[in-house]
Amino acid sequence: MWFHLAVLALLAAAYWVRQRLSYWQRRGVAFVEPSFPQGNLGGLGKTRHMSQVLQACYDQLKGRGPFGGVHFFINPVALLIDLDLVKAVLVKDFASFHDRNLYHNDRDDPLSRHLVAMEGAKWKNLRAKLTPTFTSGKMKLMFSTVTTVAEEFTRCLTGEIVGTGRVEMKDLLARFTTDVIGTVAFGLECNSLKDTNARFRVMGRKVFEPSRYRAIKNFLASQFPQIARTLRVTLTPAEITDFFMGVVKDTIRFRETNDVQRNDFMTLLMKVMKEDVLSGKGSGSGDDQLTMDDIAAQAFVFFLAGFETSSTTMSFCLYELALHQELQEKARANIDEVLKKHNTINYEAVHEMKYIEMCINESLRKYPPATTLTRKANQDYRVPGTEHVLTKGLMVAVPVYAIHHDPAHFPDPERFDPERFCPEQTAQRHPFAFLQFGEGPRICIGLRFGMMQARIGLVYLLKHFRFTLDERKMSGPLKLSPSSSVLTIDGGLWLNVEKL
């Protein structure tokens, strides 16, 4: 009896898996042949980064329709190819794709209740509250806070190059951005530049540390989110949750008790929470109320997104400028020219350094930190110009890395060329060929801050130092870390640094 039931269960499971893996074939959509159990993700995390996996799929599907079919394990995913369809999904028909399809568990994992993963009305309400905290006016107020850390960064690097002059810049840049974000998001001196084992830096590293146990939880959460929530799966380790929740609550209590006012992210969030209370929203427990947990979750994701993406962007940019000395000299000349006019590194001066911005954008094009954008169809959606329907609940992926490396959009895509982002070339390109921060209503809310931080960091570095590659450590093609969620250099960035 039990044997027959087991056989029937296995047959049913095999049939279900077969149906899932033939999803695109049955719908007459061009697809990349999947295999069980990884679908089209073979080698992911071991030999290939997600960017490389999806670029291979993109290359196979290009020219066969506005989108194609791939599988993330046994789950079908629509991979967008046509830029007009990308525009429709991210902007024009946003109402049909307003969620990112990222796992969150508000009940058991309070730090997952952040803007990046939130869905529906909760996301819309919180986005509206947080948007005013990222205006250019607010960035201007935070500028001096960032430059103070940049000056400490300059002193730290000056000390690091005594002796051999060889420095592993990737970790040093992460320590710089950790101190910046810690100061701006939490109003605290993290001291990562002075102490490599500072608590914030340790916690930042822990979030991105790969492990087999976390890989299993990530798989379950991404492929079967409802089951994961039922099983109370959390993706944030308890140690990290306790640390960040404690830091935020202690900071808020201290500021309220001592009436501390600072030009930073925490003060702005506290102001929003206070306004909710005064307007009566704080008296209940509805979705409109900004709570202490909400503030902790937003500060946490701002910290993660801010320190990791900005540090990797600067790492890749420095690598290319060290590789191409003529471009480095051009960037330095741009800095010197603007500073002759302003005499100091201020908000206006940094924004006038257009070549520095072009270098950052070209780095973001060639090495986008977030290599894939995801959306979920929240209703059936007929793809314009076709008979195909993206069914409710289906995951949609925009392969940012592949689009950025498509020679149809960027000729000779492996060449680092900041001139791609001069006004003339930018005007000739499809506006959705460059998706460094996403697009539409869910565009990265912190893009102004991220760009400001990267600008300031590179300006201070190039003004005071010259960089060349350490040929012993950086010979041969650049290797990407296959297991990292964010695009990053495998083995570190080893540069020879000379004080100017």
Side-chain angles (χ1 to χ4, degrees):
M1 174 66 176
W2 289 110
F3 173 76
H4 291 99
L5 287 174
V7 170
L8 284 173
L10 284 172
L11 289 173
Y15 176 77
W16 179 71
V17 168
R18 188 172 180 179
Q19 289 294 99
R20 298 288 284 179
L21 293 179
S22 64
Y23 180 91
W24 294 115
Q25 185 178 22
R26 288 184 286 111
R27 283 163 175 75
V29 172
F31 68 99
V32 180
E33 189 69 42
S35 59
F36 181 78
Q38 67 265 50
N40 298 115
L41 301 181
L44 178 65
K46 295 178 180 177
T47 58
R48 296 196 296 171
H49 186 267
M50 177 61 97
S51 60
Q52 297 162 321
V53 170
L54 290 189
Q55 186 179 24
C57 294
Y58 177 92
D59 290 343
Q60 287 188 57
L61 294 168
K62 192 182 173 191
R64 299 171 66 188
F67 76 99
V70 296
H71 280 80
F72 289 3
F73 299 100
I74 60 171
N75 287 330
V77 176
L79 191 71
L80 305 192
I81 308 295
D82 180 71
L83 295 185
D84 288 330
L85 180 56
V86 172
K87 180 179 179 179
V89 167
L90 298 182
V91 181
K92 185 182 173 186
D93 298 319
F94 174 76
S96 298
F97 301 94
H98 52 65
D99 297 332
R100 278 205 173 100
N101 201 50
L102 296 178
Y103 180 77
H104 58 94
N105 180 349
D106 297 358
R107 178 186 59 184
D108 305 302
D109 192 353
L111 292 184
S112 72
R113 184 186 165 87
H114 55 69
L115 196 64
V116 176
M118 268 188 181
E119 299 179 343
K122 287 183 180 180
W123 165 79
K124 188 176 180 180
N125 292 334
L126 187 60
R127 176 85 186 203
K129 288 178 183 180
L130 296 185
T131 295
T133 68
F134 289 96
T135 61
S136 55
K138 296 294 194 302
M139 295 303 103
K140 197 169 183 178
L141 290 174
M142 295 178 188
F143 186 87
S144 62
T145 305
V146 182
T147 55
T148 299
V149 180
E151 286 164 4
E152 174 60 33
F153 184 30
T154 303
R155 288 190 290 271
C156 177
L157 184 53
T158 301
E160 290 278 339
I161 62 176
V162 174
T164 64
R166 187 178 69 172
V167 181
E168 200 290 280
M169 288 298 298
K170 181 182 156 193
D171 182 65
L172 199 61
L173 285 162
R175 286 155 58 191
F176 163 64
T177 54
T178 296
D179 280 3
V180 169
I181 299 294
T183 304
V184 171
F186 299 92
L188 300 173
E189 290 186 12
C190 301
N191 292 317
S192 299
L193 286 167
K194 295 176 182 175
D195 178 9
T196 57
N197 293 313
R199 195 77 174 133
F200 265 89
R201 181 70 190 116
V202 169
M203 287 297 159
R205 281 196 296 260
K206 278 183 180 292
V207 174
F208 293 97
E209 275 179 3
S211 75
R212 187 178 295 274
Y213 176 59
R214 288 178 72 178
I216 293 170
K217 292 208 297 183
N218 283 327
F219 166 76
L220 183 62
S222 64
Q223 302 303 307
F224 307 102
Q226 295 302 334
I227 295 174
R229 288 190 192 99
T230 302
L231 296 174
R232 310 190 78 152
V233 170
T234 62
L235 300 185
T236 314
E239 181 185 10
I240 293 170
T241 298
D242 292 344
F243 173 76
F244 281 100
M245 294 291 282
V247 166
V248 168
K249 289 175 180 177
D250 289 347
T251 300
I252 290 175
R253 287 195 195 101
F254 178 81
R255 292 193 183 191
E256 287 178 340
T257 303
N258 298 280
D259 193 27
V260 175
Q261 297 293 322
R262 290 180 53 134
N263 292 321
D264 61 16
F265 186 60
M266 189 64 70
T267 293
L268 296 170
L269 286 177
M270 288 173 64
K271 184 180 177 184
V272 173
M273 185 167 70
K274 187 175 181 180
E275 287 171 352
D276 279 0
V277 173
L278 292 175
S279 66
K281 290 178 183 174
S283 58
S285 58
D287 291 336
D288 283 347
Q289 174 188 359
L290 189 71
T291 66
M292 190 86 79
D293 284 359
D294 287 329
I295 289 181
Q298 308 328 309
F300 172 67
V301 77
F302 182 48
F303 173 77
L304 289 191
F307 98 79
E308 186 71 8
T309 57
S310 292
S311 65
T312 56
T313 297
M314 286 189 284
S315 292
F316 284 119
C317 193
L318 274 185
Y319 167 78
E320 291 288 353
L321 294 178
L323 192 62
H324 302 97
Q325 288 294 310
E326 72 284 3
L327 301 183
Q328 185 178 154
E329 289 304 322
K330 191 171 181 178
R332 191 172 290 112
N334 182 222
I335 295 168
D336 293 341
E337 180 187 359
V338 173
L339 290 182
K340 282 178 185 175
K341 174 183 172 184
H342 288 270
N343 296 318
T344 185
I345 300 175
N346 57 32
Y347 185 82
E348 289 75 20
V350 167
H351 281 77
E352 282 183 30
M353 297 172 186
K354 295 302 179 185
Y355 193 75
I356 296 297
E357 182 180 349
M358 288 159 61
C359 288
I360 294 170
N361 280 335
E362 175 65 347
S363 181
L364 288 166
R365 184 218 42 104
K366 191 174 177 184
Y367 310 101
T371 62
T372 312
L373 303 176
T374 58
R375 295 291 186 269
K376 180 171 66 178
N378 54 282
Q379 59 192 38
D380 286 355
Y381 176 81
R382 184 178 293 280
V383 177
T386 77
E387 294 300 311
H388 299 302
V389 174
L390 303 179
T391 55
K392 182 179 179 180
L394 184 73
M395 179 175 165
V396 176
V398 180
V400 173
Y401 183 92
I403 291 170
H404 285 189
H405 287 76
D406 187 336
H409 308 314
F410 297 96
D412 193 8
E414 297 309 315
R415 182 167 57 92
F416 184 83
D417 180 14
E419 295 298 331
R420 298 183 201 273
F421 291 92
C422 68
E424 295 77 18
Q425 288 199 39
T426 299
Q428 293 172 11
R429 254 192 321 269
H430 193 294
F432 282 71
F434 183 50
L435 296 163
Q436 79 283 25
F437 294 106
E439 268 297 347
R442 291 204 83 138
I443 193 170
C444 173
I445 196 172
L447 70 90
R448 280 194 181 96
F449 184 84
M451 284 297 288
M452 182 175 78
Q453 181 179 218
R455 278 189 182 108
I456 292 171
L458 286 171
V459 167
Y460 271 84
L461 288 173
L462 293 172
K463 181 177 184 293
H464 295 290
F465 304 95
R466 178 176 287 107
F467 300 90
T468 55
L469 292 184
D470 180 356
E471 298 293 348
R472 291 165 295 178
K473 291 275 192 177
M474 302 297 295
S475 61
L478 193 69
K479 293 180 181 177
L480 302 176
S481 175
S483 60
S484 175
S485 56
V486 173
L487 200 68
T488 187
I489 301 171
D490 194 20
L493 173 61
W494 292 90
L495 299 180
N496 297 313
V497 185
E498 175 193 349
K499 188 88 162 67
L500 296 175

